[in-house]
Structures are given as structure tokens and as C-alpha cells.
Amino acid sequence: MDIKFCTQCGGSVQQTIPHPDNHARYICSQCGFIHYQNPNVVTGCLVHKNDKVLLCKRSIEPRHGLWTVPAGFMENGESTRVAAQRETTEEAGANINIKDLFVLANLTHANQVYMLYRAELIDDNFQPGHESSDVKLFDQDQIPWDNIAFYTVKLALEKFFSDYPKGQFSLHEIDF
Amino acid sequence: MDIKFCTQCGGSVQQTIPHPDNHARYICSQCGFIHYQNPNVVTGCLVHKNDKVLLCKRSIEPRHGLWTVPAGFMENGESTRVAAQRETTEEAGANINIKDLFVLANLTHANQVYMLYRAELIDDNFQPGHESSDVKLFDQDQIPWDNIAFYTVKLALEKFFSDYPKGQFSLHEIDF
């Protein structure tokens, strides 16, 4: 995202490397304020009931109409776990027990760190929130594999179905 | 961090909740641009040689003169692992083998997600970078426990010395 004006004084900014830094930053030519830009964290849950996983059909762009796990941008003041819980409530209306961190994916091209927790579904009272048009539990062979919204989510689902029969889930770190 | 002017048009911004959001955002009153603010990721390494850990004495604020592990803000375009490696090179000049993610700490009051990898020191060629005045290997009982720069780092060191005798390291998730 380009920055054209200073957030502090409204002056024009220029991209230069400030001493003793080694990265170009947007610096205000008027007040000298440095505008750092850093990756964002996306958190969510791979929710399952035994060997069935909960997917949401997206009713917003990008990837409208495709299926994904409940996940979204972490907000200031939240922990990764609290953010993952909030996204699951907002997008799938699901009651869950969050377990361990299951996927840590680095989407360097998008400047995103993707953190998915494994979560167990407590009951069957789930329903789509305002960003989903449908929420369903899927067996492995029922999953709409060709209509998964994000490649990271497809990989996370594959890791789940690979770990599940072992009865043990490990943290999967995936770099793109 | 307050935002007073729009990064896109220089117009004045106001904090309001845009529909259908539920968080207050800085929105430009002129062009409508929404300035999202999200937590930052701090990555680094808990570097060790057998049961000795590598600490850096900070030569910058905050916590000038206190000891810490090499860590810092993740940059756009990096993975968490690459960022942890870079920070270790920059601050400790150390050659390392990065192993698994060891600490995930949520500093919600600071809007930071702290991710520390365990890393094994390859050789003894380490030296302070421009943010450190000293780098040393410490036995558990030599560690300057009262002069550790950050509480999260103190906890991470305690977790290391608790896990080390077991010969097994697990991921420690710490929320503040």
C-alpha cells in the first residue's frame, strides 16, 4: 500500500532508507515521521467434529462463493487465540474448544502470517455470519476440493486429514 | 498510534465504525479511505549451544544496557523464520540452525505477537551488531536474571531451561 501523505502532519512523504536502518520507509519530508509497514496476522480455526471439518461458503470478495475456514485479520488488543475464536463466532456461529496452533503459514507475497488453530466443535448450533452464505460439516471425500477459496486452507485441510488418523496433531509450518 | 491525516489524499480523518464492521477505524472525511491498524509481529531466536544460551546486551532504547535474545519487527516480504534469522545475524552475528517455533507470546497491551524460534549455534563466531554492545553465552546460573530486558524473554529462557533436560522442546503459548 502506497503512502502519499504523512499521517501526523499531512505533509508529502518520500521513500528513503533512514540511518541506521536498511529498509526503505515512507518518511515525511515535512516532520520526518517514519511510516513503518509490517506484515499482518490472519488467524482462524480449523474446526472439526471427529473427522468432519467445518467450512464456510464466502459471501464476500475475494473468492465469493468458494469455501474456507473461519479466519480473518487479527485486531489490536487481541491475542491470536481470541482473534481465532472471534472469527469463528462471526463467520460460522460455532461453539468451539480451541486446541493447539495447527498451521503457521507465511504468505510473503501478501505480507501475511496465517495462524490456524485446531478447534473441536462443541455442538451442532452453527450458522453463517454476515460474511458467509452457508456453513457445513464435511467428510474428507465430500469436501469441495476444487472450490476451496485459498491454497493455504487446502493445505491445512490436507494436513488435518493426514494427522487425524494418527490421533496426534503437530504444528505445520508452511512458507510460500 | 493516532492517525490525523489520510495517507492517500491528505484529508483529515475521523474515528468511526464503518458498516458492517464492528471496530472503530480512522476513516478519511474527504476520500473515505479506511486506515486499518493491526498487531505487529516480533520474531527472533532463542539461540543455544547445548545448555548455554546466547544473549545480547542492548545498546539502544528501550531497555538500554539490559540483556535479551536477538529479535525485532518482522518486515514485509519476509517469513517468520527468515525474519528470525535476519535479526539473529544483525544483533548477534551468529551462525545458527533454526529449529522449531518455541514461544508464541501475545502482548495484547502492546499489540504485538512475539514469535521465538529455538536455534542451535553452529560455531563460536558471534559478535555484537549495531543494536548490541555485547553478546555472550550464558549457563543457566550465570544468566543476569535481574537484568533481562523483557519479561517475555525471561519466561522464554525459563521455558528453555525447563525443557532442555527432557531433550524435548514444545511450543509455549503465553498470553499477557
Side-chain angles (χ1 to χ4, degrees):
Chain A
M1 171 61 63
D2 280 357
I3 294 180
K4 294 171 197 144
F5 298 93
C6 176
T7 57
Q8 302 306 297
C9 78
S12 64
V13 300
Q14 291 183 321
Q15 255 194 323
T16 49
I17 301 175
H19 178 78
D21 204 334
N22 46 24
H23 286 77
R25 313 286 180 189
Y26 287 103
I27 303 178
C28 180
S29 53
Q30 198 162 278
C31 74
F33 185 77
I34 304 174
H35 301 75
Y36 291 97
Q37 293 183 299
N38 302 90
N40 283 317
V41 179
V42 173
T43 53
C45 289
L46 198 156
V47 181
H48 68 106
K49 183 179 180 178
N50 301 320
D51 62 345
K52 290 173 199 281
V53 298
L54 197 71
L55 296 179
C56 305
K57 193 173 188 177
R58 291 174 65 83
S59 65
I60 53 164
E61 292 297 346
R63 314 298 166 91
H64 184 284
L66 301 186
W67 294 84
T68 189
V69 296
F73 288 109
M74 186 181 175
E75 299 282 354
N76 278 349
E78 289 182 326
S79 69
T80 44
R81 221 166 248 268
V82 163
Q85 173 88 56
R86 176 183 52 73
E87 290 290 343
T88 305
T89 304
E90 284 179 6
E91 298 183 6
N95 299 311
I96 54 170
N97 271 331
I98 295 193
K99 312 306 268 185
D100 291 331
L101 186 63
F102 181 61
V103 166
L104 166 59
N106 281 284
L107 284 70
T108 54
H109 59 284
N111 301 317
Q112 287 178 6
V113 180
Y114 209 97
M115 300 173 75
L116 279 188
Y117 286 87
R118 183 174 70 84
E120 293 172 356
L121 196 61
I122 293 175
D123 55 45
D124 289 341
N125 298 321
F126 49 82
Q127 61 280 320
H130 68 265
E131 296 184 359
S132 316
S133 61
D134 200 357
V135 180
K136 270 189 195 168
L137 276 173
F138 288 96
D139 279 324
Q140 182 173 7
D141 57 7
Q142 293 172 332
I143 285 185
W145 289 106
D146 294 336
N147 289 303
I148 299 298
F150 306 103
Y151 184 57
T152 315
V153 171
K154 188 162 179 275
L155 289 182
L157 291 169
E158 287 170 358
K159 296 293 183 194
F160 173 80
F161 289 113
S162 160
D163 279 5
Y164 185 82
K166 304 175 205 159
Q168 254 191 319
F169 300 92
S170 49
L171 173 62
H172 300 276
E173 201 171 327
I174 304 166
D175 286 352
F176 292 100
Chain B
M1 171 61 63
D2 280 358
I3 294 179
K4 294 172 196 140
F5 298 94
C6 176
T7 57
Q8 303 306 298
C9 77
S12 64
V13 299
Q14 291 183 321
Q15 255 195 323
T16 48
I17 301 175
H19 180 77
D21 204 334
N22 46 23
H23 286 76
R25 314 286 180 188
Y26 287 103
I27 303 178
C28 180
S29 54
Q30 199 163 279
C31 74
F33 185 76
I34 304 174
H35 301 75
Y36 291 97
Q37 293 183 299
N38 302 90
N40 283 317
V41 178
V42 174
T43 53
C45 289
L46 198 156
V47 181
H48 68 106
K49 183 179 180 180
N50 302 321
D51 61 346
K52 290 173 199 281
V53 299
L54 196 72
L55 296 180
C56 305
K57 193 173 187 177
R58 290 174 65 83
S59 65
I60 54 163
E61 293 296 348
R63 315 294 167 92
H64 184 284
L66 301 186
W67 295 85
T68 189
V69 296
F73 289 108
M74 185 181 176
E75 299 282 355
N76 279 349
E78 290 181 326
S79 70
T80 45
R81 221 165 247 270
V82 164
Q85 173 89 54
R86 175 183 52 72
E87 290 290 343
T88 305
T89 304
E90 284 179 5
E91 299 184 4
N95 299 312
I96 55 171
N97 271 331
I98 295 192
K99 311 307 268 187
D100 291 332
L101 186 62
F102 182 59
V103 165
L104 166 60
N106 282 282
L107 284 70
T108 53
H109 59 285
N111 300 319
Q112 287 178 6
V113 179
Y114 209 97
M115 299 173 75
L116 280 188
Y117 285 87
R118 184 173 70 85
E120 292 172 354
L121 197 61
I122 293 174
D123 55 45
D124 289 342
N125 298 322
F126 48 82
Q127 61 279 320
H130 69 264
E131 296 184 358
S132 317
S133 60
D134 201 359
V135 181
K136 271 190 195 166
L137 275 173
F138 289 96
D139 279 325
Q140 182 172 7
D141 57 6
Q142 293 171 332
I143 285 184
W145 289 106
D146 294 336
N147 291 303
I148 299 298
F150 306 103
Y151 184 56
T152 315
V153 171
K154 189 163 179 272
L155 289 182
L157 292 169
E158 287 171 357
K159 297 292 185 194
F160 173 79
F161 289 113
S162 159
D163 280 5
Y164 185 82
K166 303 174 205 159
Q168 253 192 320
F169 299 92
S170 48
L171 172 61
H172 300 278
E173 200 171 327
I174 303 167
D175 287 353
F176 293 100

